[in-house]
Amino acid sequence: MFHAKVQQVNIVTSSEDENHEIDENHDKLLAEITAMGNEKKKRKIPVRTEPSPNVSDFGISAGSGKGQKIVFQDLVASIKKSKKLKNIKDQLNTVKVDQSVVEPPIPKPQLERFQRTVLYQDTSKDISKWTDTIRQNRKAEHLSFPLNRYRPTKSSLSTDSVQFKVSTPLEQEIETILNKSKKNIESRNKELTEAEEEALKTMDLEEAKERLAELRKMRALQSHYEQKCKRQKKIKSKKYHRIKKKAEKKKLTKMSMEELMKQDPETIKDDLEKEERARALERVSLRHRNTSKWARYLAAKGRNNPETRKALTEQLKKSRELTEKKEFDLNTAKEDENDRDSPDENNVDLTKIINPNQYNPWLASTNSSKQESSHKDVNTTVQSKQPALEPRAIESDSDYSSVTDDNDDIDITKTNPDQNKLDAKNELDEFAIDDDVDNNSIDQQDAQPNITSAKETNSKKSKKSFHITEEASINPNKFLILEDRSKNALNFTYDGNDSEDSDDSIVNNQLNVEQAFEDDDVIEEFLKEKELSKEASKPKETDLRLPGWGAWSGAGIKKRKKKTKPVPPPPRRQDDHLKNVIINESVDERFTKHQVTQLPHSCRNYRAWNNTMNKPIGRHWNSQSTVEKLTRPRISTLMGTIIDPIKPPKTINKNKKAKDSSSSTSLKIY
Amino acid sequence: MEKAKIKVISRNPADYLRQTRHDIFKQPRNTDPKLHPFQAAREYTRALNAAKLERLFAKPFIHSLDGHADAICSLAKHPVSLSCIASGCCDGEIRIWNLSTRKCLSAVNAHRLHSDGLSFRQCCTEYSTGGDDKSIKIWSLDLATKNSLKEPDMTILSKNIFNAIDHSWKSDIFATCGQVVEIWDEEKTEPIRSFTWGIESHIGVRFNPIETNVLACTGSDRSIALYDVRASTPMRKVILEMKTNTVAWNPLEAYHFTAANEDGNLYTFDMRRLDSALCVHVDHVSAVLDVDYSPTGQEFVSGSFDKTVRIFPVNKGKSREVYHTRRMQRVFCVKWSMDNNFIVSGSDETNLRLWKADSSARLGALTARQKASNNYNKKLKKKFENHPQVKRILRHRHVPKPIHRAAAEKRVILDSQKRKEENRLRYTKPDKVERVPERKKHVVGEEA
């Protein structure tokens, strides 16, 4: 319907146009007819019949020449009112026409340029992520290629325990047994073993909590202790271990045996057993009886040396300590224990094992003899401990003093060795004094002439100086250094008439030197030399004549004047005002060709340059490790290994992974 | 009485045991500086000796491999095997060589005309060749049997000739260049992408080894153009004064590449700032035809029309080393081996040549002591490199007379130009002319 209406409109407009055209044609025709009568032919003016801009393709004129445009609404308004068309009219009214016009497309070359620019910017930005890595690599002191070399991880207990795979039947068996057990902690994250968990489940809440706390504490303590032990075990220092052992021993000895027995019988048993074993070993091997090569050597060579003697006695002392019979009566302890507890089989066994000599018939006599000897022996120590000394040992042990608890013996023990010592000392001192005396006497003998000679020289000096002062006929120009000269003059002007000094060889020598250089005038020579060097350094006249020119000879030849360049005045010398010095200002080419004339570009300042030059890198001036560090090349490669281009650093991937894993773990937790 | 203390020297004899029978006896060393006087003078002498010895032992040429019947125009390194290298000849022949045995493993007549392009695929079982006969051929290579097939696995015929071919470092794609720059997939016979940017001829193409999607291509319009495989358009173009033959990307620094130029210079560029070169490497006296980076990214090697191979440090304007032999003609292609130790050059007179990258280095395994001595000597040379005598000895290279003359002539020309410019600067008002740095002088412009 709408279409029909539009067509109608079209038809209307077209009919109007047609009318207009007919009128035009009619006028034309009339004009032609009137012109036919005229003989004069007028020039034909063609009429332009271009389609006007006002006419649209659809034959709708764009208004009546006043710039009016047909608006869509007008067209809609022109639809006649009818019920049938109302619906369509409403629909058309709702349509809102967008007046804005789409921009014409950018020309292709320009568009491509934009695309390229954006692409380039993006890629540049993306590739700039390498800046840090590149900077780092450029600055790096050492680069070892391939950069991300595969290095197998070091195996440790923790990794091995995870990666361990059962292979042999024995291992399989162990594995099955372990798997059955409820007491192993399966993973690190788990805090409790299966058995413990079960136990906790059976308890009520409060108790379980308490128990759990206790367990935790124990675990922590245990792990701390393990760590500590591990750390201590790693210490390699012998000294540390020696001190540690000593401290432990001290701790043991501090407590009396009985106390210890009460506290910790097991360890005491072990200790006693150990000692027993050590004693047996010592008795068999005689290791500390001065039988070793070292001891024999010392005994042979350094018998008189108190140091060696001391060392030997020390060893003997150790041997004595080791072979000493421990007189700890376990029976009494046992009795005490028996009083308290029921009789223990272990203890009985122990006494038998540890102290089999208890019932040894051989021991009884020694015991009694020891008791007797204890009064005689000076060196008896603690009442309970009876050293089984051998006569040889006692002999050698004359100056060994031990601290005793026995009041009676104190005096003796203190006095005797001290006296011995004193004697020895006195002897030594005497010898030393003798020595000293000898020395002194020798010294004195030696010194006597020395002193005299010194005196003489002094007197000489005074004489000579006096002598000099007496001399008046000295050229004042030749005085350079007054004080020094007086000293020097001593040697030069000495004459050896004195009978006293005739046997002194040094003076003789000096004399000879003096005589040899009698005629030399050093100062004069020096001055001459300086004069010469000054002459040499002066700029020379240059002869400008051609070589050979004017050198002819013959009668009536006049000698021509020399043509010379004017000589510039000699430059000032550094030693002009210094009387006693010649400073050579000429440059030696032999040195200059090895010297750096300009500070290199890479060096910031003179000091930095000097530092690098003065810092040696060779092994004669540095330790091995320093040399290795200093001479390590910047680039090192592995032989026969392909070096791939650098790959993006792992940190990026790692971060990504970490993120993923964290999310997964969080899921597990909740 | 004071007791005398005796200190005894005690040493573990095991520390002084010799490793072998021929070893010298180790001596305990006293570090007292009084015993080692004249430190500076002694080290200087050692440095001087080290420099002399370096020159004495500088014998870089190892071997020449002959077999081709025409000039060698392309070389390709095997990505996995150090000893394997492929060479393409101007008569279209391809040869696979074993460098350690110095033998030709196989020879194939691949193309009717030049086999300009030659590249190994990263998975190393195949290599591709592109030639002037408008075809790409993909060959499989089996190193175990040491034989490659006589027939190609695949042949792709095209409308255009191919001047160069290069495989991506990561994926299975490769790029060719001729009239257009094309990106190919190994599986497909049609290019997956084709770039044109107003040039009728491209000369060389190289993929970036780190950012594997980026590639650079040189054109006959004196340009170096950058492309991204993922994008449909090219990226950027820089135009130099003269034509660039090839580029090489730094394998350690993602955005740095070096261009081998016809004017005898090499230009190192930062991909992000193309308006000026980072460094101009001058020493060749004629066009530079090929360039390849060392895998450590510290140096690169260049082959030139002046019949020499030169090694440049990345950040130095002057070459460190120059290699030449009497028989070697124009060097068309050079490659630096993947283990950083060798250089291979292919030249006009049909021969491949194997060189040492460090001319005075000893081949083979070194003992710890030799290594230590080498390191010490190197450090000494570095320390005293500014001393005139050491510098003179280390710098001096004997070059053939024509090159020497050409270099002198070039120097005269450059000096004259420099003098002229200096004069111009001196006698014009300061704001009217400005000094153009050498790095910018050769860059004509940038095109987006």
Side-chain angles (χ1 to χ4, degrees), chain A residues 301-317:
Chain A
K301 297 276 179 180
R303 189 176 286 169
N304 295 330
N305 193 349
E307 199 74 21
T308 56
R309 242 189 286 162
K310 199 185 168 190
L312 287 174
T313 49
E314 202 111 291
Q315 233 203 356
L316 280 174
K317 184 183 152 196

Side-chain angles (χ1 to χ4, degrees), chain A residues 47-76:
Chain A
V47 180
R48 294 179 70 176
T49 55
E50 285 169 332
S52 74
N54 294 342
V55 179
S56 76
D57 290 342
F58 306 104
I60 303 169
S61 63
S64 55
K66 288 175 186 174
Q68 285 178 350
K69 276 184 179 175
I70 294 170
V71 189
F72 184 68
Q73 295 297 334
D74 298 341
L75 295 176
V76 175

Side-chain angles (χ1 to χ4, degrees), chain A residues 113 115-117 119-120 123-124 126-131 134 137-138 143 145 147 307 593-596 600 602 609 612-624 630-635 637 639-646, chain B residues 3 29 36 39 42-44 46 48 79-80 82 169 197 208-211 214 228 231 233-236 251-256 271-274 295-296 298 314 338-340 364-365 375-376 379-380 383-384 386-389 446 448:
Chain A
R113 194 174 302 135
Q115 282 174 346
R116 286 196 292 261
T117 315
L119 179 64
Y120 177 65
T123 314
S124 297
D126 180 46
I127 215 166
S128 294
K129 72 188 171 202
W130 286 97
T131 313
I134 288 170
N137 284 339
R138 287 220 159 178
L143 284 174
F145 289 91
L147 283 173
E307 199 74 21
K593 78 172 179 183
H594 290 280
Q595 280 167 340
V596 180
S602 56
W609 161 258
T612 51
M613 281 300 112
N614 287 336
K615 201 175 162 197
I617 46 175
R619 61 187 185 85
H620 288 95
W621 300 278
N622 293 304
S623 68
Q624 184 67 30
L630 286 172
T631 60
R632 202 173 153 202
R634 201 181 105 79
I635 304 291
T637 56
M639 199 180 180
T641 312
I642 286 177
I643 301 164
D644 285 325
I646 194 169
Chain B
K3 281 171 191 170
R29 193 169 58 85
H36 308 288
Q39 171 263 115
R42 282 168 77 183
E43 288 218 314
Y44 172 73
R46 279 177 200 174
L48 207 59
V80 170
L82 276 175
W169 288 75
W197 197 357
N208 188 331
I210 306 168
E211 289 293 317
V214 178
D228 194 318
T233 54
M235 248 188 330
R236 174 107 356 168
L252 202 66
E253 297 168 1
Y255 42 73
H256 290 159
M271 197 192 103
R272 304 163 303 165
R273 296 188 70 249
L274 292 170
T296 57
Q298 311 295 315
V314 170
M338 304 279 274
D339 66 342
N340 196 37
N375 290 345
Y376 180 48
K379 214 65 187 189
L380 278 178
K383 185 182 171 187
F384 290 98
N386 293 303
H387 285 66
Q389 290 299 304
E446 215 179 337

